[in-house]
Amino acid sequence: MPSTPASDVESLSEEASQSLERGSTHPVTINAHPDSVQKFPDLVERLTQTNKKSSSQLHQSLVAAEAYLSNSLLDLSNPDNRIAANQLQDWTVGVISSTDAFAKEAPYAAETKPVIPPEDLARFCSLKATGLRLLSHLEDLQVSSSDSLAALVACLATFTDLHDPWTNEDAFTLARSLLSKHLKSLKDAAPDRFDHLISQLLQSYVKPLFIKSKSSVLTDQGRKAIAPLPGTGVPSDFESGSKPWKFQSPHIVTVFQWILQQLDAGILEKHWPLIIPPLLTILDDVSIQLKIRGCQLLMVLLRVVPASLLERSGLGEVFHDTLMPYLLFLPSLTPEEDSIPLLNATYDAVLALTMTRYDTTETKPQKVKTLDAIFRYGILKGYTHAGEKVKIAELLLMKSADLVNAMGIYCVKHLKDLLPIISTILTAPFATAYPPLLEASLQLLRAIMVNGWPRVAFHRAEVLEGLIICWSRIQEEDRPTTALLTVRKQIEQVLCAVVQLLSGDREMREDLRLIRACDPRLETTLNV
């Protein structure tokens, strides 16, 4: 086979270098017209010679290879081309999989990790996108081995979360498309190979990075330890060597998330011991961002985990005990910008966990008891300690509405606590300064009326007081904002619902008559 002249490779590399020097962060394309596809193996050999290439040199090689494949029809029936294509695929996977530049800095590290400038981040994302486009040209290539397939899937899964700093829209779209095609062909060929792939990803990629930071509350089988060994559970950040998943390869959390998204109940139970330790490690980490990520991962798991498995393994209680303290990560000990997303994720996760654990009529008493504990320990304590923070109060009211809907009629025991909070917010002198808090209050009040309607008549004075005073204050605004007008409309709707709900109550009718006499503006709204 004739070898590729060095000038061809140098021409591709030179055009790639010039294109990158123009500073474009968009997909780079160059004109490359190779004379013969027989040159491909030698081209791959030259471009993939690492020799400790810099990031820019690696990017240049990726652009050159991608340009070659864009402008030629590669004959994969040729054994030499097929071997070279597998080599290029494996090399590309290795180049674009690394995310160590985005890893968190370990405490007392010998060197301070520099912040990545925006221009470097753009170049980094461009390199990843180029590599993914290159892999898309090889999507019809049969992967050479199961190890190469696992590496390829792990690489693609790295770019399946747009919240990651190393992933942009281009990389996300390409990765999802390639994963879809590879998994479809894998499942069509042999369904059991998909199970093997999941097992290989967990065994070879996830487990080695989490093995040193396993929680002491778990057994090796992923069950609750009856007598856990003394210790702090998950190691602290000062033991950075035990957390390579955090300080060296942060992308593995996204890979693990993608794996969880692929599970069904059968695969989940089979690989339970490999899934639970990493999940609990992430959930129990000291980092607020990773606690949030852990809550999100738990939500993904709860979509497929049966209640019986949580009960048999004792993990339902373990997850509950891990999540509950996060409900009190409040200002001022926790900055508000960290507290709000953590509280939001934690309430969603603990509520989903409760509904999953107690999903039958027989377990309803335990469900109500757990929801009561969440309300008292989370909502009431949280509002007492940080209720003056309007965004925290807004979030707590929204989550209270979710809890009320989950409790159903059993929410009536908490009306003595909830309705004074709602009334205080609606009647506050400066309530109109932050309309979202008013909307959250009305959302909670609607949930109470739907689920606890038998007791609304007893609390009618408090309900009417809050609604009418707030409505009057908005009416008196000289130039009410669009948000306030929306709130006023919602108040009128809630008032109509209250009037209709209690229309048969004689005392209620008398109260309404007196209110209309005091403020004729309410004549239409309170008309029964």
Side-chain angles (χ1 to χ4, degrees), residues 315-388:
L315 265 295
E317 183 181 355
V318 171
F319 285 131
H320 178 82
D321 292 344
T322 301
L323 290 170
M324 287 298 285
Y326 300 166
L327 300 180
L328 294 182
F329 276 54
L330 300 160
S332 59
L333 292 180
T334 304
E336 187 173 352
E337 61 271 18
D338 291 334
S339 178
I340 290 174
L342 177 59
L343 289 174
N344 186 50
T346 303
Y347 275 108
D348 288 346
V350 76
L351 182 56
L353 175 64
T354 303
M355 303 305 284
T356 302
R357 290 176 70 189
Y358 309 119
D359 61 345
T360 63
T361 304
E362 291 75 16
T363 57
K364 192 169 187 177
Q366 295 98 308
K367 180 179 78 171
V368 173
K369 182 179 179 181
T370 304
L371 292 174
D372 288 343
I374 296 170
F375 177 78
R376 294 193 180 98
Y377 184 85
I379 300 295
L380 290 184
K381 282 191 176 182
Y383 193 83
T384 301
H385 287 90
E388 72 280 1

Side-chain angles (χ1 to χ4, degrees), residues 268-307:
L268 170 65
E269 188 160 2
K270 183 176 181 180
H271 300 299
W272 186 258
L274 294 172
I275 292 169
I276 296 304
L279 175 56
L280 194 59
T281 297
I282 297 169
L283 190 62
D284 208 22
D285 193 77
V286 297
S287 166
I288 295 292
Q289 288 72 29
L290 285 171
K291 290 182 189 296
I292 295 170
R293 195 72 179 270
C295 290
Q296 295 167 346
L297 293 175
L298 179 58
M299 292 283 286
V300 175
L301 180 73
L302 291 173
R303 291 186 300 105
V304 295
V305 64

Side-chain angles (χ1 to χ4, degrees), residues 64-76:
E66 198 263 332
Y68 182 98
L69 293 175
S70 297
N71 291 275
S72 64
L73 184 61
L74 187 61
D75 181 12
L76 291 177

Side-chain angles (χ1 to χ4, degrees), residues 53 100 112 155 182-183 217 247 271 286 321 355 408 432 452 513:
K53 288 183 178 181
D100 59 327
T112 302
C155 170
H182 281 291
L183 292 183
V217 302
F247 297 112
H271 300 299
V286 297
D321 292 344
M355 303 305 284
T432 56
R513 186 187 67 78

